[in-house]
Amino acid sequence: MRYAKRGPLRFTSHRDFARAFERALRRAGVPIAFSQGFTPHPKISYASAAPTGVASEAEYLEIGLREPVDPGQLRAALDAALSPGLDVLDAVVAASGSLADRIEASHWRIELPEVEPAVLERAVAAFTAADEIQVERMTKQGRRTFDARAAVMRIDVVPPVETPSGVPGVSCAILELVVRQVTPSVRPDDVLSGLRVVADLEPPVSPRVIRLAQGTVTAQGAIVDPLEADRDGATIGER
């Protein structure tokens, strides 16, 4: 399944979404399968969830069922059972292969209110020219230092179609990037930290981040929806 986190629901943590999704399964009467053992759990597997506070149009999960269901009806029932802003967009019957193995990269958009596009362009040029950019992030294992440059496959400044802030006359630079799935993961805030390291870019207002897509990467650099492989006998990367 593909689902979205929109509007204020982007602040839903992964744990909160998991609880809401399990409640939606019960309300929708989905014949979910459970694991074996003393403490059975519903068979749900999440793939590369976006960080809390980040909106997304491309979140993915897998569920195991006790019996076949129509994917379209399942999508509609679960979407109706979830709060607006947590939207189920697509569902397919899984073929062979792991969903996690089909996610190689993510396409992100970062809106930077009160940052001039020309300033961002100079920072991006410095970022692109660097061979390595070391940044720090606090993790569950403590503070870690890692390279934020190598995982970035593409980084561009794009012209805004409209003022994202909704306030005429307020500048807003927009950054789009494609980041390869690596360990440790490189997140949009890590890329912003990298721009701070190489160009002293300090956005005065908190950025707004949205994941536009994730999936496999073609030779041309396009990202393919991981659910495409399960439609009409398609294969990964076919287009």
Side-chain angles (χ1 to χ4, degrees):
M1 292 184 185
R2 177 186 173 200
Y3 67 95
K5 292 199 307 178
R6 297 166 169 162
L9 272 298
R10 69 185 184 275
F11 295 106
T12 304
S13 70
H14 176 63
R15 181 174 295 180
D16 288 339
F17 173 80
R19 285 196 291 259
F21 187 71
E22 290 184 26
R23 289 195 297 269
L25 288 169
R26 292 194 293 270
R27 285 197 294 268
V30 176
I32 189 75
F34 284 79
S35 61
Q36 302 296 313
F38 291 105
T39 56
H41 297 285
K43 289 190 174 181
I44 307 172
S45 177
Y46 297 92
S48 187
T52 303
V54 171
S56 178
E57 292 295 314
E59 300 296 286
Y60 293 91
L61 59 81
E62 295 176 284
I63 61 174
L65 302 177
R66 300 191 307 272
E67 59 190 58
V69 298
D70 178 78
Q73 293 177 0
L74 176 64
R75 186 213 65 78
L78 285 172
D79 187 54
L82 285 164
S83 299
L86 296 176
D87 305 317
V88 182
L89 306 179
D90 201 0
V92 297
V93 177
S96 60
S98 166
L99 177 61
D101 291 341
R102 302 176 187 180
I103 296 179
E104 298 176 348
S106 290
H107 180 187
W108 303 91
R109 175 181 293 157
I110 305 175
E111 297 173 357
L112 299 166
E114 300 184 27
V115 173
E116 294 291 340
V119 173
L120 182 59
E121 286 173 357
R122 289 193 292 271
V124 166
F127 186 98
T128 304
D131 294 325
E132 183 180 89
I133 302 173
Q134 294 292 318
V135 300
E136 289 187 347
R137 189 209 308 157
M138 183 62 71
T139 69
K140 293 179 181 178
Q141 292 75 37
R143 187 168 294 278
R144 295 194 63 178
T145 301
F146 55 94
D147 179 20
R149 175 65 186 91
V152 178
M153 303 173 64
R154 179 168 63 83
I155 180 168
D156 300 298
V157 180
V158 299
V161 177
E162 58 185 19
T163 307
S165 64
V167 181
V170 175
S171 60
C172 181
I174 297 181
L175 184 68
E176 287 198 6
L177 54 149
V178 175
V179 181
R180 190 177 296 279
Q181 194 86 357
V182 295
T183 302
S185 63
V186 173
R187 308 183 312 196
D189 55 316
D190 298 320
V191 176
L192 292 176
S193 295
L195 292 171
R196 186 181 307 115
V197 169
V198 298
D200 293 324
L201 182 68
E202 289 280 2
V205 178
S206 295
R208 184 166 183 172
V209 182
I210 179 171
R211 173 149 53 191
L212 302 176
Q214 59 176 326
T216 54
V217 183
T218 68
Q220 294 74 33
I223 293 183
V224 179
D225 183 345
L227 302 190
E228 286 297 317
D230 300 312
R231 292 192 178 96
D232 301 324
T235 58
I236 292 290
E238 181 179 79
R239 273 213 173 162

